[in-house]
Structure formats: C-alpha cells, structure tokens
Amino acid sequence: NPDLSPEESENAELALKYSGDDYLFSAAVFQNDVDGLIEWAPVGPGGLWQPSNVASARMEGFELEYSVSLGKLNGLVNYTWLDADDLTTDKRLRKRARRQFNVDVDYQQTAALSYGASLKARGHRYADKANQDRYAGYGLVDFRAQYQATTMLNFTATISNAFNKKYVEHEGYNEATRGFIVGFDYSL
C-alpha cells in the first residue's frame, strides 16, 4: 500500500506489584493512543490482504496476574480486559478480544518428573471494521510433562489443543488442531 504511513503513539501505564514468600500479585491499567495504527484487512476476492492505517485508535484496559508456589504445586492466573476502538468510526478494532484469560498449573511430582496444564480463553472478536461479523470466543487446553532422566538427558511431551477445539484466530488460516510433540534434549 503506497499510502501507508508509520504509526505514532502515546502510551501510559500504571502498575502495582506485591510479592510475598510464595506468591506474586500484579495489577496494571493502561491506555495507548495510536495515530495511523496499521491493520491488515482483506481487499476484494481472492484472499489478498493489504495493510492500511486506522486514523486514530485507542486501546485501554487493565491486567491482573497472580502466581503462587505451594510446595510442589505452581500456578499462574492472568486476566486482561481490553477496550480497543477506532476513534474515527467508534467501532471496535478488528481481531482484538475484549476479554482474555490464562491459567497455568504445574506439579513437580519428583525431582525428575513434572507435569502441568494450561488454559487459554479468548472472548469474541470482530472480523470486520463495521463490527458486523465476528469470530466466536474460544478456550484451548494444553497438557505437558517433563522427565529429567539424567543430569544430561531430559524428555518432554506436550499435547496442544487437547480437546481438538475448532476456532478462528485469523481469517483464511487453518488453526492448529490437536497436536502431539515428544522430544528430548541431551547436554554434554
């Protein structure tokens, strides 16, 4: 796009963090004002995408995070609320979920064996600038395990999208279905 111009932004954030012996809590509020925000969008049939500028955009919200370590059990929870608007049209920006939620839990069974799970949840997002079409919200669950066989040999296994959830993150792209990864690393 020969008419594309660079983004200019003003950002502000206020954060509070508090930690104890086995936990950490943080909260933040933020506001980002962007002139000339670059967004990719489809142009005509055939799947061609092109960047263009959003004249004036504002992204504001808050984030909360809590992590804890309880002996062999470790957990992390975070939540983000995001209001992302095109200030010229007073519509929400494309592909930006208002609500995002993540949970990670890991358990250290023995000195050599650990396993865990993650949940990633996203609220709906709009697919178009007019906010007429939207992608549904979704939640994905992953599982993982690690076994330290020796000081030099480590095995890992991951199941991603364990429940084979069908979802749309980006229009025109196939999103990952259930996946399995098994690996090892050997250090000399």
Side-chain angles (χ1 to χ4, degrees), residues 94-166:
R94 299 177 60 250
K95 299 194 303 186
R96 287 173 173 83
R98 184 167 298 217
R99 292 177 297 277
Q100 299 182 43
F101 180 69
N102 299 292
V103 177
D104 286 304
V105 177
D106 288 286
Y107 186 72
Q108 188 74 42
Q109 178 75 36
T110 66
L113 176 65
S114 66
Y115 43 87
S118 297
L119 166 69
K120 171 184 169 181
R122 301 292 180 263
H124 77 272
R125 288 115 33 244
Y126 287 104
D128 64 331
K129 291 181 179 186
N131 292 178
Q132 298 296 313
D133 298 322
R134 65 186 221 177
Y135 303 131
Y138 63 90
L140 303 176
V141 176
D142 301 335
F143 296 106
R144 61 189 162 275
Q146 178 175 311
Y147 180 69
Q148 188 77 45
T150 69
T151 56
M152 298 186 323
L153 181 61
N154 183 53
F155 293 96
T156 59
T158 302
I159 302 172
S160 56
N161 192 3
F163 300 110
N164 206 27
K165 175 74 174 173
K166 298 199 182 324

Side-chain angles (χ1 to χ4, degrees), residues 31-53:
Q31 179 175 312
N32 303 322
D33 292 329
V34 184
D35 291 331
L37 176 73
I38 297 173
E39 270 202 336
W40 284 82
V43 288
L48 181 63
W49 287 65
Q50 178 176 315
S52 62
N53 291 107

